[in-house]
Structures are given as structure tokens and as C-alpha cells.
Amino acid sequence: MAVSTKQLWENALAHIHDLSSATLYRHSELEARVAELEGELAALKLAYNTTAEHVDKRPLHGQLPSLSRQASNHNLAQDPLVLCAIDGDRLMFHPSLIERGYDGGRQAALDFTKAIAHELLLQDLSGCDRLSFWVTLFFNKRALLNAFRDEGMARPEQLEAFLLGFSQASPRFLIVDAGPGRESTEAKVKEYIKTYIRFPQTLRLFFGGVDDPYLAMYEGLEQEDLAGKLVIMQPPTEFVSGMLRTSARSIRFDSLFMTEKASHWMSRRPGPILGISGSNPSVVTNGGLISPQSETQASMPTPPPQTRSSEYLRTIDPTKPLHKQNPPPCNEHYLMSCSKGPNCKYSHEWHLTPEQLEVLARNAKKAPCNYLKNGIPCPHGDRCCWGHVCPSGARCFHLSKGKCWFKGEGMHPPIGMQPIEVTA
């Protein structure tokens, strides 16, 4: 059927409106970013100038004489390194920052940088023209997301956004998911410290997450005359006795970090979620959206969703969209089959009409399939309720900025190769 001239005009005006809205949003976003960077620069200048005026320049007491020898052996062709390793399973940033999501992550990065800069001034290490500052946060991501959610401290999407903001604050701020098992995090942190503290250009290595398993490592560094480079962040009040005999300094940033060890409340949680295989720890969630759980659905038979009489089902509040219901309906339960059973945080007890099911299916396609997103063939094929291609295709605006959720190979096919939806 021919399209009327009025319809063509309406389509053109709608397109122009969308473009102008996107342009205005991007403009305001860039203005806010410029203002944020100017504020950060002013704050850093003020902190540096204020501290430089009052810092005590007297020689530090209690440091090993070997520090002067190490400093003289630095390779002057390279910038001195100031490194920071955090065991996130034992030490995590304050929930008040995590609740703020992306902005909280950037604020934590800024405050942490200022605190380290102040500590370096106090240690009389401000004479270097340039310092290369690196931060690496190691943790079991899945366990941390679930623990924060179960303790009511932050929603998974808030923690995901916080980590994104923290890592994007600087190209030298790194996030490392060590995978399941506390020993995985410990092993990576120990290897990082033992390797990089030996570099002659490493001035200081700040470490957060002190606990008994690291005692042997500390003793080894002490014997090698390297503990003078180490600075312990947030030492627990019940400081392990062996650490009292080392020459490592200790500092506290109580407003930045939790006062309780993360491992204490993480250990109160039940065992690992079924279906999480140690051979594939990199599968991630969609920032709080329920998604396929890899090996669980691929290798374990899943029962069909329970069917109940409509008199026992809840009725959707028509004044709210489906994703705003409390809790929202489970996509997998209504569109495929959900393997989480009673552990699922989404509802299986809504009565959905055919029209509501159609809306639910259409919205689910806007979130990427986690199998394809992580480079794994989807075992559900056409039955998968999640998106296998980005709705915007190769012209995706967010893809050009590196922010599209559809990160898997082939999830942005060229125009003409995308599946066409035919409606009656």
C-alpha cells in the first residue's frame, strides 16, 4: 500500500526530532564533562599547593637504609612507578560511593588519587617531575555482585556502573575479575606484588586487603629488603602479629573504604550458584538484567515453568510498564524456561496477557544474549529470548562510542543482513 505524503512528512519530522534530541543530549553531556574535569583539576591543584606548604620536609625516620640505595638504582629513562593493588574480596570501597553508580566510581577514583598524592608528599616523594600511578582492583565479580545485593548494600547494576566509572576515570585504573574462589584473587594479588615490587623504578606499592594468607609473602619481602616499598592500606584493628614486625608503613582512608572486611559478609552467603563453571569465569550479567547462566542451561535439563491457576497469579499494574512492576516479570520464565527456581529475583507469578507477553518479548530483544556477548555459541538458537543482534545494527550510535551492550562478534551486522520482522 502506498505511503501517503502526510505519513512521509510525519516520519521525517520524527527523525529530525530524534536527531535534535540526541544532539542536545550529547552537547549537555560534553558540557557536564568539561565542568567536571575543570573541577577535578582545580581540586588537585589546591590539594597539592596546600599540602606542599605545610608538609614537613624533615628526613623520614624508621625507613630502611636500603631505600636510598634502591632510589639511586632507578632507571631514570622511565617514569617512577607508584602502584596500588587491592584485594576487593577483603577490602571494597564504601557503599555510599557504590550506590551512586558511575558518578560514585569516578568520585572514588578522584578521592583515592588525592589521598595517595597526599601520602607521597608526607613521605617526601614529591621531588619527581613525573610519576606513573597505576591502580588494579582484583576480586570475584559474581560473588561480590550477589553479596552486595543480598546484604541490601547496592543493586548489581549500581556496582557494575561504579566499577565502570572507576575504571574509566583513568586508563591506568584496571579491574580484574579473578573468577570463582577466594584463592584465585589471593594468587593474582600475591603474584602482582611479588613481581612489581622488585622493579627498580617502583617507588611505592600500596596494598589493600591485608589478611593472614598474605603473611608469608610479607615475611619474604622483609627478608629480601623490599618491605620498605610497601604501604598497607586500611590495616584491620586485629592486625596480624607477624605484620607488626615488618617495616611496611600503614595508612587509613576510612571515608573511602568499608570498615568491615568484605570477606566477612561474603562468607555469610551460601555456596556458589549452580551452573557457574570454573572453566568459564568471564561470563557476565547485563547490569542487573536476568540472563542465561551458561553451562546451567546448556548441560542441565530444565523443567518447564510452573503453571498455576490464574486465580493465584497477580495482575499487572496497568499504570506502570512491565519493567517497573515489583518485582518485574522474569523474561526467561515467560519466554523460555528459568533455571534459577526459587532463587530467581524476578517474579514468576504475574498473569500476563498475550499483548503483555508480546511487549515482554520485544523488550527482551533489546538486551544482548550473554552467550554471544561472551563469544560462546548460544545453545538456544532461535528460541533464545535475548537479542542476538543490536536493534540499531551497524549504524548503532553507542557502538561508535564503545558503549553498546551488544559486544559480541557479529552482533552489529550490516544493513540488509539483519533479520526482518514481519507483522500482519
Side-chain angles (χ1 to χ4, degrees):
M1 181 175 66
V3 180
S4 66
T5 303
K6 179 181 179 181
Q7 184 64 40
L8 290 175
W9 275 106
E10 289 178 350
N11 292 342
L13 288 173
H15 184 63
I16 292 173
H17 179 268
D18 291 342
L19 287 176
S20 63
S21 298
T23 302
L24 289 173
Y25 176 80
R26 183 59 178 163
H27 179 70
S28 62
E29 191 179 52
L30 290 174
E31 283 186 334
R33 179 62 179 141
V34 170
E36 179 186 359
L37 290 174
E38 289 176 345
E40 291 179 2
L41 179 60
L44 286 172
K45 286 182 177 178
L46 178 62
Y48 178 86
N49 293 333
T50 302
T51 308
E53 292 174 0
H54 298 90
V55 67
D56 188 356
K57 297 296 184 179
R58 293 172 301 176
L60 295 176
H61 299 289
Q63 297 295 307
L64 292 175
S66 63
L67 289 179
S68 59
R69 296 197 303 271
Q70 294 166 3
S72 64
N73 292 330
H74 283 317
N75 184 353
L76 299 180
Q78 301 183 32
D79 294 336
L81 295 175
V82 175
L83 307 175
C84 177
I86 302 175
D87 182 341
D89 290 350
R90 291 179 166 84
L91 180 66
M92 184 46 67
F93 288 94
H94 201 278
S96 61
L97 291 167
I98 295 175
E99 288 175 352
R100 293 170 53 191
Y102 185 86
D103 291 339
R106 296 190 67 87
Q107 187 64 48
L110 175 61
D111 293 346
F112 186 60
T113 301
K114 290 179 183 178
I116 295 297
H118 181 264
E119 177 65 20
L120 293 176
L121 286 171
L122 293 178
Q123 295 188 32
D124 201 20
L125 295 175
S126 58
C128 302
D129 293 334
R130 295 181 60 183
L131 287 175
S132 185
F133 180 47
W134 293 78
V135 180
T136 307
L137 176 61
F138 301 86
F139 60 99
N140 177 351
K141 184 176 182 180
R142 184 176 296 277
L144 201 65
L145 287 170
N146 291 332
F148 264 88
R149 181 197 64 204
D150 294 348
E151 293 290 323
M153 301 173 69
R155 299 191 305 275
E157 57 267 30
Q158 290 176 320
L159 182 54
E160 290 268 16
F162 172 87
L163 295 173
L164 180 64
F166 185 81
S167 65
Q168 290 188 350
S170 168
R172 295 173 178 174
F173 282 27
L174 310 178
I175 303 293
V176 177
D177 180 5
R182 190 178 302 170
E183 295 78 10
S184 300
T185 303
E186 291 173 9
K188 290 184 180 297
V189 172
K190 289 177 181 178
E191 195 63 30
Y192 178 95
I193 293 176
K194 290 190 291 185
T195 298
Y196 287 100
I197 203 169
R198 289 179 169 83
F199 282 18
Q201 63 266 36
T202 299
L203 282 181
R204 289 291 184 273
L205 198 156
F206 293 80
F207 170 52
V210 57
D211 211 344
D212 289 321
Y214 292 104
L215 181 56
M217 179 191 72
Y218 293 133
E219 293 174 344
L221 295 177
E222 185 76 23
Q223 293 173 3
E224 296 181 52
D225 211 14
L226 293 172
K229 291 185 177 184
L230 199 63
V231 182
I232 306 300
M233 300 187 299
Q234 301 301 104
T237 52
E238 64 279 8
F239 208 46
V240 288
S241 58
M243 281 299 298
L244 294 174
R245 298 190 299 270
T246 71
S247 56
R249 294 171 59 91
S250 62
I251 54 175
R252 300 196 66 86
F253 307 132
D254 288 334
S255 61
L256 271 174
F257 295 98
M258 298 173 57
T259 55
E260 182 183 9
K261 288 184 185 178
S263 56
H264 285 176
W265 45 267
M266 287 175 67
S267 64
R268 294 198 291 262
R269 300 186 66 256
I273 300 174
L274 289 176
I276 306 304
S277 170
S279 63
N280 186 27
S282 61
V283 178
V284 297
T285 62
N286 289 320
L289 292 172
I290 189 170
S291 297
Q293 293 297 325
S294 184
E295 289 81 356
T296 300
Q297 294 178 342
S299 60
M300 296 177 62
T302 56
Q306 285 187 327
T307 57
R308 299 189 182 185
S309 173
S310 59
E311 62 181 303
Y312 296 107
L313 297 177
R314 301 168 60 191
T315 302
I316 291 289
D317 182 354
T319 64
K320 299 178 181 178
L322 292 178
H323 69 280
K324 293 289 187 181
Q325 304 296 319
N326 186 23
C330 172
N331 290 327
E332 294 186 354
H333 172 76
Y334 289 99
L335 303 176
M336 299 196 309
S337 61
C338 178
S339 63
K340 301 172 185 66
N343 294 321
C344 182
K345 66 175 182 177
Y346 296 91
S347 177
H348 296 186
E349 299 182 355
W350 291 110
H351 175 65
L352 300 184
T353 66
E355 293 77 13
Q356 290 166 339
L357 286 171
E358 184 178 348
V359 172
L360 191 71
R362 189 163 56 247
N363 290 339
K365 289 296 183 182
K366 297 177 183 177
C369 168
N370 267 347
Y371 289 109
L372 297 183
K373 180 180 177 181
N374 290 281
I376 305 171
C378 177
H380 304 291
D382 294 338
R383 294 192 309 108
C384 183
C385 68
W386 303 102
H388 284 197
V389 295
C390 175
S392 301
R395 296 182 179 178
C396 176
F397 172 79
H398 299 290
L399 176 65
S400 63
K401 306 299 180 183
K403 297 182 178 180
C404 182
W405 283 4
F406 291 78
K407 300 182 183 297
E409 183 177 356
M411 299 187 85
H412 290 86
I415 301 299
M417 296 181 61
Q418 289 184 263
I420 300 175
E421 184 181 275
V422 180
T423 58

